[in-house]
Amino acid sequence: MARWPAPPTLSASFYLGHGLGNDYLVFEEGGDWPASPENVRTVCDRHRGVGSDGIVVLLEPPPSVGGGGGGETKSLSVRLRMFNPDGGEFERSGNGLRVLASYLLRRRPGLEEIVARVAGSAVRMLAHDRAGARYDVSVEMGPAAVGPEAVGMAPHALDGEGGLEGPRGECLEVVPVRVGNPHVVVLCRDESELTEERLATVGPFVAGHPAIAEGANVQLALLETGRSARALIWERGVGRTAASGTSACAVAVGLVARRRMAPGPLSVRMPGGTLSVVVSAEGEVVLRGPVEEIADGRLTRGFLAGLPEPDAGGTDGGAAARSEG
């Protein structure tokens, strides 16, 4: 199991945004509360906290991000950490990255390029347009990897044709894909296999499959006419999700890998909306779509006083890797 550094300590101030209903809180590094797994779960709770699908932490924020100042810089480099609502830290989220981009773009209107370093990788984002509270942002997700080894899956889990035994003994046609984080794309033959009922069974079964060392995000995917696909998503550490950027990328990569379509652009339609993905012949992936502002706020002193301190032994810093949107 992957282990992460000790939890960062965060500011009480936050920003909330969403990409197609997949919402993330952005906190800057500060001195108000430790982002232990228990505290992250509390803050992300939709009844006892602010509520969100995860937290993006901006480490060592540039001076003008939090306090105003010039907006002339066209490019900005930042460092991030990301947390799921179950308290686990994870590698990458396409929607979380784009929510972070909207946060930075509000404070630096002249920004055109953001390079974010997260979990040891550098990800480049481009700002294309803004209309009120809505931003058009693309993310260069980098090269994707395909196959059991890409997601830490035991090779014996798949049969000779790439099938995985499902929860009822059925054969699932799957494509393991890594797009910075692990995914298992379950390819559907027709509309009857692309249902919420099937997702509720297949999603958690595959996401927590014992043959996958750290679990995976799961997509039911169906290629439609032209260059369009539909997908339903079950995220590791989250559950059913209306939309997910890395999941949309995994669906496109999986369809190319199984030769269901040639490299190029694909529109991936999810319950929350549609994202555009381009997969190159070399396996490079670019994600693009809308992201919207929701709110700025601040955790109250009383709420912060009720958050527990992290364990003295540092066990909170060792949370296993999780997934993202």
Side-chain angles (χ1 to χ4, degrees), residues 146-148 153 158-164 171-177 184-188 221 223 250-263 279:
V146 177
M153 176 186 286
L158 302 181
D159 63 25
E161 297 181 353
L164 176 72
C171 182
L172 304 174
E173 184 180 1
V174 302
V175 189
V177 179
V184 175
V185 182
V186 180
L187 298 177
C188 299
L223 181 64
V251 166
V253 171
L255 291 169
V256 170
R258 283 297 171 91
R259 301 185 184 278
R260 299 288 181 89
M261 68 173 207
V279 181

Side-chain angles (χ1 to χ4, degrees), residues 191 222-230 261 266-267 269:
E191 294 274 352
L222 176 66
L223 181 64
E224 298 180 314
T225 56
R227 299 194 69 92
S228 176
R230 288 171 56 204
M261 68 173 207
L266 178 72
S267 295
R269 183 157 56 96

Side-chain angles (χ1 to χ4, degrees), residues 35-82:
S36 65
E38 184 174 358
N39 288 348
V40 169
R41 288 193 293 270
T42 300
V43 171
C44 290
D45 190 287
R46 297 194 181 275
H47 302 285
R48 296 178 173 86
V50 181
S52 78
D53 290 323
I55 291 176
V56 181
V57 176
L58 181 59
L59 302 171
E60 302 172 0
S64 67
V65 170
E72 299 303 319
T73 304
K74 300 294 184 183
S75 180
L76 183 66
S77 296
V78 295
R79 292 194 305 117
L80 311 175
R81 291 175 70 174
M82 293 185 167

Side-chain angles (χ1 to χ4, degrees), residues 14 89 103 166 190 226 265:
F14 65 83
E89 188 163 358
Y103 171 76
D190 53 43

